[in-house]
Amino acid sequence: DAGVIQSPRHEVTEMGQEVTLRCKPISGHDYLFWYRQTMMRGLELLIYFNNNVPIDDSGMPEDRFSAKMPNASFSTLKIQPSEPRDSAVYFCASVEDRYNTEAFFGQGTRLTVV
Amino acid sequence: TQLLEQSPQFLSIQEGENLTVYCNSSSVFSSLQWYRQEPGEGPVLLVTVVTGGEVKKLKRLTFQFGDARKDSSLHITAAQPGDTGLYLCAGVPGAQKLVFGQGTRLTINP
């Protein structure tokens, strides 16, 4: 398996634009997590899915953020409209199941909102 | 408020020195994990500790889980420049929700 794949690696956008980040988890993994990492706040959990169902979205900062997982091999995180304070590295991670809890991370998407 | 507090946040030492970083919480965890992250990459798992009091060794790295399963430590012996990176602890407080500490940014100077 190629591991967790995120796209794009880098995104620069203007304030007010819509941004969509994409993630392909490892095949067969039951859990998918979206994190945001900044120097100030570290690695924050935004939302996670179990078998494609959103379980906890309490970390999503505002209604401007939304996430979907239409099938087991694809998830998106959308920000609309984007703001400069959304600038961060966004990571997707997948976990096999509740017994094998190692999180496998993608390489992240570095988002810059100007 | 962080569920997992790591200390120190930054540490810069000379090659060959020993160091310990800490991960503390007021909550009990069924297990704690330690990850290492290098620039431009996602975190990579180093170890999982499960039993209170457990000690695991990975070459020059020693990980310990507190007896009450609320804290953990990472000790590095004879640090090398290749140990430089961001060290993160992580745990599942419930319902498989994996949360991370803020990390310890370690720099080993040659």
Side-chain angles (χ1 to χ4, degrees):
Chain A
D1 200 311
V4 176
I5 299 173
Q6 290 187 246
S7 64
R9 287 294 309 275
H10 302 274
E11 177 80 41
V12 180
T13 191
E14 291 186 346
M15 182 174 63
Q17 296 297 306
E18 176 180 298
V19 175
T20 300
L21 312 181
R22 297 173 175 79
C23 175
K24 181 181 187 306
I26 293 173
S27 177
H29 280 198
D30 292 344
Y31 293 87
L32 184 141
F33 298 81
W34 281 101
Y35 293 91
R36 176 173 69 177
Q37 188 175 40
T38 60
M39 284 292 289
M40 288 294 294
R41 301 174 69 90
L43 201 60
E44 299 175 276
L45 175 62
L46 300 177
I47 184 171
Y48 78 98
F49 296 82
N50 180 20
N51 293 321
N52 314 337
V53 176
I55 302 301
D56 187 336
D57 65 355
S58 59
M60 297 284 261
E62 301 171 31
D63 291 345
R64 298 184 297 106
F65 285 69
S66 62
K68 294 182 180 179
M69 192 164 185
N71 57 62
S73 59
F74 184 66
S75 177
T76 59
L77 178 68
K78 186 178 293 186
I79 308 173
Q80 165 64 16
S82 58
E83 297 183 3
R85 60 191 166 129
D86 301 331
S87 297
V89 181
Y90 290 80
F91 284 101
C92 171
S94 69
V95 171
E96 184 173 355
D97 55 46
R98 59 183 299 174
Y99 304 107
N100 300 290
T101 57
E102 177 178 358
F104 292 84
F105 282 78
Q107 289 190 296
T109 295
R110 181 173 294 277
L111 173 65
T112 304
V113 183
V114 298
Chain B
T1 302
Q2 290 278 342
L3 191 59
L4 289 166
E5 296 283 348
Q6 288 190 242
S7 62
Q9 288 192 21
F10 299 92
L11 184 58
S12 179
I13 64 172
Q14 293 300 118
E15 181 177 358
E17 294 183 358
N18 302 331
L19 66 106
T20 303
V21 299
Y22 300 92
C23 175
N24 295 298
S25 177
S26 57
S27 301
V28 176
F29 288 85
S30 57
S31 66
L32 279 179
Q33 300 175 327
W34 285 91
Y35 290 76
R36 181 178 157 199
Q37 185 179 16
E38 299 196 26
E41 302 292 331
V44 175
L45 182 70
L46 294 173
V47 76
T48 301
V49 285
V50 179
T51 307
E54 181 178 6
V55 176
K56 280 192 174 178
K57 293 193 174 185
L58 192 65
K59 296 183 181 178
R60 294 176 294 98
L61 278 60
T62 301
F63 304 86
Q64 185 161 9
F65 200 11
D67 291 341
R69 292 187 288 125
K70 293 183 178 181
D71 55 84
S72 181
S73 64
L74 159 59
H75 182 80
I76 301 179
T77 303
Q80 299 178 1
D83 296 327
T84 293
L86 178 66
Y87 289 82
L88 296 155
C89 67
V92 180
Q96 304 307 310
K97 179 176 176 176
L98 186 63
V99 296
F100 284 79
Q102 278 196 297
T104 294
R105 196 167 296 276
L106 176 63
T107 303
I108 310 300
N109 303 300

Coordinates of all heavy atoms in Angstrom, one line a residue, chain A residues 56-96:
Chain A
D56 N -17.1 12.4 15.7 CA -16.9 13.5 16.6 C -16.3 14.7 15.7 O -15.2 14.6 15.2 CB -15.9 13.1 17.7 CG -15.7 14.2 18.7 OD1 -16.0 15.4 18.4 OD2 -15.4 13.9 19.9
D57 N -17.1 15.7 15.6 CA -16.6 16.9 14.9 C -16.5 18.1 15.8 O -16.5 19.2 15.3 CB -17.5 17.2 13.7 CG -18.9 17.6 14.2 OD1 -19.2 17.6 15.4 OD2 -19.8 18.0 13.3
S58 N -16.3 17.8 17.1 CA -16.3 18.9 18.0 C -15.0 19.8 17.9 O -15.0 20.9 18.4 CB -16.3 18.4 19.5 OG -15.2 17.5 19.7
G59 N -14.0 19.3 17.2 CA -12.8 20.1 16.9 C -12.9 21.0 15.7 O -12.0 21.8 15.5
M60 N -13.9 20.9 14.9 CA -14.1 21.7 13.8 C -14.3 23.2 14.3 O -15.3 23.4 15.0 CB -15.2 21.3 12.9 CG -15.0 19.9 12.4 SD -13.9 19.9 11.0 CE -15.1 19.8 9.6
P61 N -13.4 24.1 13.9 CA -13.5 25.4 14.5 C -14.7 26.2 14.2 O -15.2 26.9 15.1 CB -12.2 26.1 13.9 CG -11.8 25.3 12.7 CD -12.3 24.0 12.9
E62 N -15.3 26.2 13.0 CA -16.5 27.0 12.7 C -17.3 26.3 11.6 O -16.8 25.3 11.0 CB -16.0 28.3 12.2 CG -15.2 29.1 13.2 CD -14.6 30.4 12.5 OE1 -15.2 30.9 11.6 OE2 -13.5 30.8 12.9
D63 N -18.4 26.9 11.4 CA -19.3 26.3 10.3 C -18.6 26.5 8.9 O -19.1 25.8 7.9 CB -20.6 27.0 10.2 CG -21.5 26.7 11.5 OD1 -21.1 25.7 12.1 OD2 -22.4 27.4 11.7
R64 N -17.6 27.2 8.8 CA -16.9 27.4 7.5 C -16.2 26.1 7.2 O -15.8 25.9 6.0 CB -15.8 28.5 7.6 CG -16.4 29.9 7.9 CD -15.4 31.0 7.9 NE -14.3 30.8 8.9 CZ -13.1 30.4 8.7 NH1 -12.7 30.1 7.4 NH2 -12.2 30.3 9.7
F65 N -15.9 25.2 8.1 CA -15.3 23.9 7.9 C -16.3 22.8 7.8 O -17.2 22.7 8.6 CB -14.3 23.6 9.1 CG -13.1 24.4 9.1 CD1 -13.1 25.8 9.4 CD2 -11.8 23.8 8.9 CE1 -11.9 26.5 9.5 CE2 -10.7 24.6 9.0 CZ -10.7 25.9 9.2
S66 N -16.1 22.0 6.8 CA -16.9 20.8 6.7 C -16.1 19.6 6.2 O -15.1 19.8 5.5 CB -18.1 21.0 5.7 OG -17.6 21.3 4.4
A67 N -16.4 18.4 6.5 CA -15.7 17.2 6.1 C -16.7 16.1 5.7 O -17.8 16.0 6.3 CB -14.8 16.7 7.2
K68 N -16.3 15.4 4.7 CA -17.1 14.3 4.2 C -16.3 13.1 3.9 O -15.1 13.2 3.7 CB -17.8 14.7 2.9 CG -18.8 15.8 3.0 CD -19.5 16.1 1.7 CE -20.5 17.2 1.8 NZ -21.2 17.5 0.5
M69 N -16.9 11.9 4.0 CA -16.2 10.7 3.6 C -17.2 9.8 2.8 O -18.0 9.0 3.4 CB -15.7 9.9 4.8 CG -14.8 8.8 4.5 SD -13.8 8.3 5.9 CE -12.7 7.1 5.1
P70 N -17.4 10.1 1.6 CA -18.4 9.4 0.8 C -18.2 7.9 0.6 O -19.2 7.2 0.4 CB -18.3 10.1 -0.6 CG -17.0 10.7 -0.6 CD -16.6 11.0 0.8
N71 N -17.0 7.5 0.7 CA -16.7 6.0 0.7 C -15.4 5.7 1.5 O -14.7 6.7 1.9 CB -16.6 5.5 -0.8 CG -15.5 6.3 -1.5 OD1 -14.3 6.3 -1.2 ND2 -15.9 7.0 -2.6
A72 N -15.1 4.5 1.6 CA -13.9 4.1 2.4 C -12.6 4.5 1.9 O -11.6 4.4 2.6 CB -14.0 2.5 2.6
S73 N -12.5 5.0 0.7 CA -11.2 5.3 0.1 C -11.0 6.8 -0.1 O -10.0 7.2 -0.8 CB -11.0 4.5 -1.2 OG -12.0 4.8 -2.1
F74 N -11.9 7.6 0.4 CA -11.8 9.0 0.0 C -12.5 9.9 1.1 O -13.6 9.6 1.5 CB -12.4 9.3 -1.4 CG -12.2 10.7 -1.9 CD1 -11.0 11.2 -2.2 CD2 -13.4 11.5 -2.0 CE1 -10.8 12.5 -2.6 CE2 -13.2 12.8 -2.5 CZ -12.0 13.3 -2.8
S75 N -11.8 11.0 1.4 CA -12.4 12.0 2.3 C -11.9 13.4 1.9 O -10.9 13.6 1.3 CB -11.9 11.7 3.8 OG -12.4 12.7 4.6
T76 N -12.8 14.4 2.2 CA -12.4 15.8 1.9 C -12.7 16.6 3.1 O -13.5 16.4 3.9 CB -13.3 16.3 0.7 OG1 -14.7 16.2 1.1 CG2 -13.0 15.6 -0.6
L77 N -11.9 17.7 3.2 CA -12.0 18.7 4.2 C -12.2 20.0 3.4 O -11.3 20.4 2.6 CB -10.8 18.8 5.1 CG -10.9 19.9 6.2 CD1 -12.0 19.6 7.2 CD2 -9.5 20.0 6.9
K78 N -13.3 20.7 3.6 CA -13.5 21.9 2.8 C -13.6 23.1 3.8 O -14.2 23.0 4.9 CB -14.9 21.8 2.1 CG -15.2 22.9 1.1 CD -16.5 22.6 0.4 CE -16.4 21.5 -0.6 NZ -17.6 21.3 -1.4
I79 N -13.0 24.2 3.3 CA -13.1 25.5 4.1 C -13.7 26.5 3.1 O -13.2 26.8 2.0 CB -11.7 26.0 4.5 CG1 -11.0 24.9 5.3 CG2 -11.9 27.2 5.4 CD1 -9.5 25.2 5.6
Q80 N -14.9 27.1 3.5 CA -15.6 28.0 2.7 C -16.3 29.0 3.6 O -17.3 28.6 4.3 CB -16.5 27.3 1.7 CG -17.6 28.2 1.0 CD -17.0 29.2 0.1 OE1 -15.8 29.1 -0.3 NE2 -17.8 30.2 -0.2
P81 N -16.0 30.3 3.6 CA -14.9 30.9 2.9 C -13.6 30.8 3.7 O -13.7 30.8 5.0 CB -15.3 32.4 2.8 CG -16.1 32.6 4.0 CD -16.8 31.3 4.2
S82 N -12.5 30.8 3.1 CA -11.2 30.7 3.8 C -10.8 32.0 4.4 O -11.2 33.1 3.8 CB -10.1 30.1 2.9 OG -9.9 30.9 1.8
E83 N -10.0 32.0 5.5 CA -9.5 33.2 6.1 C -8.0 33.0 6.4 O -7.6 31.9 6.6 CB -10.3 33.5 7.5 CG -11.8 33.7 7.3 CD -12.5 34.1 8.6 OE1 -11.8 34.1 9.6 OE2 -13.7 34.3 8.5
P84 N -7.3 34.1 6.6 CA -5.8 34.0 6.8 C -5.5 33.1 8.1 O -4.5 32.4 8.1 CB -5.4 35.4 7.0 CG -6.3 36.2 6.1 CD -7.7 35.5 6.3
R85 N -6.4 33.2 9.1 CA -6.1 32.4 10.3 C -6.3 30.9 10.1 O -5.9 30.1 11.0 CB -7.0 32.8 11.4 CG -8.5 32.7 11.2 CD -9.3 33.4 12.3 NE -10.7 33.6 11.9 CZ -11.7 33.2 12.6 NH1 -11.5 32.7 13.8 NH2 -12.9 33.4 12.2
D86 N -6.8 30.5 8.9 CA -6.9 29.1 8.6 C -5.5 28.5 8.1 O -5.4 27.3 7.9 CB -7.9 28.8 7.5 CG -9.3 29.3 7.9 OD1 -9.6 29.3 9.2 OD2 -10.1 29.7 7.1
S87 N -4.6 29.4 7.9 CA -3.3 28.9 7.4 C -2.6 28.0 8.4 O -2.5 28.3 9.6 CB -2.3 30.1 7.2 OG -2.9 31.0 6.2
A88 N -2.2 26.8 7.9 CA -1.7 25.7 8.8 C -1.3 24.6 7.9 O -1.5 24.6 6.7 CB -2.8 25.3 9.8
V89 N -0.8 23.5 8.5 CA -0.6 22.2 7.8 C -1.8 21.3 8.2 O -2.0 21.1 9.5 CB 0.7 21.6 8.1 CG1 0.9 20.3 7.3 CG2 1.9 22.6 7.7
Y90 N -2.5 20.8 7.3 CA -3.6 19.9 7.6 C -3.2 18.5 7.3 O -2.7 18.2 6.2 CB -4.8 20.3 6.7 CG -5.4 21.6 7.2 CD1 -4.8 22.8 6.8 CD2 -6.5 21.6 8.0 CE1 -5.3 24.0 7.2 CE2 -7.0 22.9 8.4 CZ -6.4 24.0 8.0 OH -7.0 25.2 8.5
F91 N -3.3 17.6 8.3 CA -3.0 16.2 8.1 C -4.2 15.3 8.2 O -5.2 15.5 8.9 CB -2.0 15.8 9.3 CG -0.6 16.2 9.1 CD1 -0.2 17.3 9.9 CD2 0.3 15.6 8.3 CE1 1.1 17.8 9.7 CE2 1.6 16.1 8.1 CZ 2.0 17.2 8.9
C92 N -4.1 14.2 7.4 CA -5.1 13.2 7.4 C -4.3 11.9 7.9 O -3.2 11.7 7.6 CB -5.6 12.9 6.0 SG -6.6 11.5 5.8
A93 N -5.0 11.1 8.8 CA -4.4 9.9 9.3 C -5.4 8.8 9.3 O -6.6 9.1 9.5 CB -3.8 10.2 10.7
S94 N -5.0 7.6 9.1 CA -5.9 6.5 9.2 C -5.4 5.4 10.2 O -4.2 5.3 10.4 CB -6.2 5.8 7.8 OG -5.0 5.1 7.3
V95 N -6.3 4.8 10.9 CA -6.0 3.8 11.9 C -6.8 2.5 11.5 O -8.0 2.6 11.1 CB -6.5 4.3 13.3 CG1 -6.4 3.1 14.3 CG2 -5.6 5.4 13.7
E96 N -6.1 1.4 11.7 CA -6.7 0.1 11.2 C -8.0 -0.2 11.9 O -9.1 -0.5 11.3 CB -5.7 -1.0 11.4 CG -6.2 -2.4 10.8 CD -5.1 -3.4 10.8 OE1 -4.0 -3.1 11.2 OE2 -5.5 -4.6 10.5

